[in-house]
Amino acid sequence: IRYIHDLAAAEGERGFLCKPYGGRYSNQTSGDQVQCVVVGLAAYRPIALPEDRTIIDTLIRSFADHQIETDYDALHGYFSYPPGTWNWSHKDWGDAIIYLPLLRLAWNSSGDVKYLSEMKRWYDHCGLDKRWPIPGDEPFRGSAAYRSMYLPALLMEFDPDNHELWRSLILSTFRKCKTGIRDDGSSWYSWDYDPKSDTVSPRDPGWGGAPTCTGRSAIFAKACVETQRWFPKENMIAVARKILEGLDENNMRFVMAASKNQKLSPEWQVESRMLDHDSLTGWLWAYWEGRWRGYW
């Protein structure tokens, strides 16, 4: 992570988390770059050696300062979207949960009130009184929105005063996402679900050319393992176990066709032939944390 940080710093863009294609600087980034790095550093920091902890704290403040300076907008845009496309009128809790853990870590390591002020800015904009409706008997649309579980899991630790808000987001996400898990442990990317008939109707997510599935359900397994302790009445571990036991090297893919007869659009076919690092990492994290917590 320090290497990736230094790639951008050498370009005069300190704190910019680039996508390091081929181990080199690129001007591309995404919210994933931030949220995955924060989750990893937050997990490692408590057990890190003092010298590593010093490096981590420096990196965290650099990443946070960059986001503040750019007003949480991608410095060079996001793929085909130019800078300024995702301004504050588009931002909601889905964005806030990416940056709040980063700001909290920066505050914890520095005591600089500017990070608290930025957190308050997000709270005021998104509304701390908001709660996510828990799915009931009415049909709903599901999607592979796993970050809406594992990031609020961090906020349950960092910001317990607003635990009802984070709990509503976690539970709403879990109840929806579990309906999209397939028999082989993978998940549909987008689907409609009817609770009354317990039927799933896969949807085209808007790319791939047809309904697609993903092995990144492993990230959902990780989220289930992380949040089970706060929801003893929800059998999250059973869902996590189904995913871990079903996934293997044949379906740990970012995008897969729904059946052997289906063909993805050409630009996505390569994804179906490559092992996906998010699937692999999510699987390993879920498995080992599950063992550590005594779930299996």
Side-chain angles (χ1 to χ4, degrees):
I1 292 173
R2 181 171 60 171
Y3 174 79
I4 296 171
H5 171 274
D6 291 348
L7 285 176
E11 299 291 326
E13 298 173 357
R14 181 178 175 82
F16 174 67
L17 273 162
C18 70
K19 291 180 180 288
Y21 301 119
R24 299 184 180 185
Y25 168 85
S26 80
N27 65 3
Q28 295 182 12
T29 189
S30 70
D32 291 348
Q33 308 305 113
V34 179
Q35 67 200 37
C36 294
V37 163
V38 169
V39 168
L41 294 182
Y44 178 49
R45 187 180 183 278
I47 61 171
L49 295 172
E51 55 266 33
D52 281 358
R53 196 176 303 121
T54 298
I55 294 170
I56 289 171
D57 289 345
T58 300
L59 291 174
I60 285 170
R61 292 194 294 272
S62 181
F63 298 144
D65 289 344
H66 175 80
Q67 294 299 332
I68 293 171
E69 290 165 5
T70 60
D71 207 21
Y72 310 94
D73 187 29
L75 186 63
H76 302 285
Y78 177 64
F79 292 100
S80 61
Y81 298 100
T85 301
W86 305 109
N87 55 45
W88 277 87
S89 65
H90 296 282
K91 297 186 189 302
D92 55 21
W93 281 116
D95 303 292
I97 58 175
I98 296 174
Y99 303 108
L100 287 172
L102 173 61
L103 295 169
R104 173 65 67 169
L105 286 171
W107 155 253
N108 289 347
S109 68
S110 70
D112 192 327
V113 72
K114 73 178 178 182
Y115 301 119
L116 285 184
S117 298
E118 286 297 308
M119 291 181 68
K120 184 178 184 302
R121 184 183 179 204
W122 277 105
Y123 290 157
D124 292 343
H125 175 75
C126 297
L128 285 172
D129 59 338
K130 183 175 181 179
R131 299 290 182 271
W132 275 263
I134 308 304
D137 294 332
E138 296 301 316
F140 60 79
R141 181 163 299 174
S143 64
Y146 309 135
R147 76 181 186 197
S148 296
M149 274 187 75
Y150 69 79
L151 292 175
L154 269 183
L155 291 165
M156 288 285 284
E157 300 281 0
F158 293 164
D159 185 22
D161 287 346
N162 294 303
H163 67 95
E164 289 186 6
L165 173 62
W166 315 131
R167 284 176 65 88
S168 73
L169 181 51
I170 291 169
L171 188 56
S172 176
T173 303
F174 171 70
R175 294 269 184 91
K176 289 181 178 179
C177 285
K178 71 176 182 177
T179 64
I181 301 301
R182 291 158 42 97
D183 290 340
D184 66 354
S186 66
S187 171
W188 294 110
Y189 242 106
S190 181
W191 65 96
D192 290 322
Y193 179 72
D194 186 344
K196 294 178 181 177
S197 60
D198 190 26
T199 54
V200 174
S201 302
R203 297 176 54 86
D204 182 350
W207 41 264
T212 54
C213 45
T214 178
R216 290 190 176 180
S217 52
I219 302 173
F220 184 46
K222 166 187 177 294
C224 289
V225 168
E226 290 176 314
T227 54
Q228 174 69 87
R229 65 190 187 275
W230 290 307
F231 298 91
K233 295 182 180 180
E234 300 289 328
N235 199 352
M236 295 178 170
I237 295 309
V239 178
R241 191 163 194 139
K242 177 180 180 180
I243 295 168
L244 296 183
E245 291 178 353
L247 291 180
D248 59 24
E249 65 271 18
N250 294 312
N251 59 358
M252 285 182 171
R253 304 288 192 267
F254 172 35
V255 176
M256 293 177 289
S259 68
K260 292 182 179 179
N261 297 325
Q262 176 191 328
K263 288 202 172 182
L264 298 172
S265 56
E267 67 271 22
W268 287 104
Q269 288 178 14
V270 65
E271 297 282 1
S272 68
R273 298 191 294 269
M274 294 169 53
L275 280 171
D276 173 60
H277 67 282
D278 284 279
S279 303
L280 290 164
T281 304
W283 196 101
L284 288 168
W285 187 312
Y287 172 75
W288 285 110
E289 184 169 348
R291 285 193 61 172
W292 179 68
R293 294 190 180 279
Y295 293 147
W296 40 70

